[in-house]
Amino acid sequence: MGKTKETNKKGGLRGNNVFWAVVSLVIAVIVWVYYTSNYSSAITRTFYGVEVTYSGEDTMRDSLSLIISEEENTTVTVTLSGSRREIGKLTSSDLKAVVNLSSVTRAGYRTMAYTLSYPSSVNSTSIEVVSQSPQTVGLQISKLATKVVEFTGSFVGTVTDGYAIDSDLMTFDPSYVTIIGPEEELEQIAAAQVVVDRDNVSTSFTATANYTFIDSEGEALSFDDLTVDTDSVTVTVPVSMVKTVALDVALVDGGGATSDNVVKTITPTTITLAGDTATLESINTITLATIDLSDYLSFPTTEYTIVLPDGVECLSGETTATVSLEFTGLESGVFSVTNLSYINLPSGYTASILTQNLVVTVRAPSDVLSQISANNIRAVADLTDVTTTSRVPVTIYVDGFDSAGAVGDYIIYIQIAAEEEEQS
């Protein structure tokens, strides 16, 4: 009986092996059915945001000087159909919408078709394009041009009290920027503007700065397809001292008048200047003119140009000033002078005064003027280097009265001859 039990045990194990073989086969069939039904069956999927790229863009630029200046579409949407296995490998970033530019020969607006590019890991032959949106992309093709524009500056910071910055005086290294880009974009660019922003500035400084293109109205422009020969510029910002100085005239005493006898009226009385600190520190007054009081019995209101030192600017804007002089405490009288003489006659010549009398205006305080007569006045001609009969200027002397003087210029006629001619 023991032998019979052992035989039954072995038969049960063989039965179990058959069972597990059947189970394995069933599982394999189920896996195969699932695989074929899920990975080999066709599915359809839509991909959004597929990037548009270009083929032949460099060739178009190098050989025809043409570039893409504007894109209507940078991405597209495509719907693809194919096996679940192949479609499942794809994402929108794996796909590219490629536009072939080899047919482009001139500038202008173009609508162009595109083809889809797949990654190498995908069998593209098993994929069908169901739809594309849009079906074409719009491009603006522009002629490539070159333009050179000047740098211009603007300071938007703050300066220490007593100092100023004139943006027009900024200097740049380099002075210009060369731009390559679409012709219609370059036509809009008027300058390259540098904006400098610093606080509490009191000395000139140099800095490296970026710049922005602006149009003729000063509005900023932004273009993505320009090539420039420099991305930054070195700007030197001059800081000037600001100072208010007086306007004045220098008076030369004469004709019985001194500065104490004159009331000056100058309009404007002061102006505001900006310039190099070393120059402005020593300037407190701008002298408009030097006036000899002996030239004027009464001074007419006169306009003078304000002359500034080199490198100094008038911030308040004045270019001229008017000056009026009023004489006070003086009176004038007219005298017929007969005391006429000369000095410094050159050797070898003789002289004879032809003028018999000279009408002279004398100015002095009233109490002094009342004491003066023609006998106190003499006119003296200096004949140094005078060797021909001439009209010779004379100096008027009012002897005995230091506070009196002649007003105006006077001349007398003198006949001069060589001594040999006189003897002949």
Side-chain angles (χ1 to χ4, degrees), residues 107-136:
Y109 178 81
R110 301 285 297 269
T111 56
M112 304 192 70
Y114 58 88
T115 58
L116 290 179
S117 172
Y118 302 91
S120 59
S121 60
V122 174
N123 182 10
S124 60
T125 59
S126 65
I127 298 176
E128 178 186 357
V129 178
V130 178
S131 65
Q132 300 175 179
S133 179
Q135 292 187 335
T136 60

Side-chain angles (χ1 to χ4, degrees), residues 31 40 172 175 183 194 202 277 293 320 341 372 374 388:
V31 170
S40 299
F172 306 92
S175 300
E183 194 171 41
V194 179
S202 60
T277 301
L293 298 179
T320 62
S341 62
I372 299 174
T388 60

Side-chain angles (χ1 to χ4, degrees), residues 29-150:
V29 170
I30 293 173
V31 170
W32 179 82
V33 170
Y34 176 82
Y35 176 82
T36 56
S37 63
N38 285 278
Y39 288 91
S40 299
S41 60
I43 64 171
T44 300
R45 181 181 296 176
T46 299
F47 297 86
Y48 301 93
V50 176
E51 181 185 3
V52 177
T53 62
Y54 301 95
S55 169
E57 189 172 8
D58 291 341
T59 301
M60 183 180 72
R61 179 188 179 103
D62 296 339
S63 61
L64 301 175
S65 294
L66 297 176
I67 61 171
I68 300 170
S69 59
E70 186 176 346
E71 302 174 70
E72 283 188 2
N73 311 94
T74 57
T75 62
V76 296
T77 298
V78 295
T79 300
L80 304 179
S81 176
S83 67
R84 184 180 298 273
R85 174 185 178 86
E86 299 301 324
I87 296 296
K89 296 178 182 179
L90 294 174
T91 64
S92 294
S93 60
D94 296 325
L95 299 170
K96 304 295 179 187
V98 182
V99 179
N100 189 338
L101 299 175
S102 60
S103 62
V104 177
T105 59
R106 63 180 181 271
Y109 178 81
R110 301 285 297 269
T111 56
M112 304 192 70
Y114 58 88
T115 58
L116 290 179
S117 172
Y118 302 91
S120 59
S121 60
V122 174
N123 182 10
S124 60
T125 59
S126 65
I127 298 176
E128 178 186 357
V129 178
V130 178
S131 65
Q132 300 175 179
S133 179
Q135 292 187 335
T136 60
V137 295
L139 302 176
Q140 180 64 44
I141 306 297
S142 299
K143 189 70 175 177
L144 198 63
T146 300
K147 186 174 185 178
V148 177
V149 298
E150 188 176 17

Side-chain angles (χ1 to χ4, degrees), residues 154-167 170 195-205 237-240 242:
S154 175
F155 182 80
V156 297
T158 60
V159 294
T160 305
D161 290 344
Y163 294 87
I165 290 177
D166 186 349
S167 296
M170 290 182 181
V195 178
V196 180
D197 186 358
R198 285 198 182 184
D199 291 326
N200 298 320
V201 174
S202 60
T203 58
S204 301
F205 64 91
V237 182
V239 180
S240 302
V242 177

Side-chain angles (χ1 to χ4, degrees), residues 252-298:
V252 178
D253 295 347
T258 68
S259 57
D260 294 335
N261 302 119
V262 176
V263 177
K264 293 185 290 187
T265 302
I266 302 175
T267 305
T269 57
T270 62
I271 57 175
T272 301
L273 303 180
D276 180 69
T277 301
T279 301
L280 275 187
E281 276 183 335
S282 60
I283 299 176
N284 297 309
T285 303
I286 297 292
T287 301
L288 299 170
T290 298
I291 301 173
D292 189 339
L293 298 179
S294 66
D295 291 336
Y296 301 96
L297 190 60
S298 63

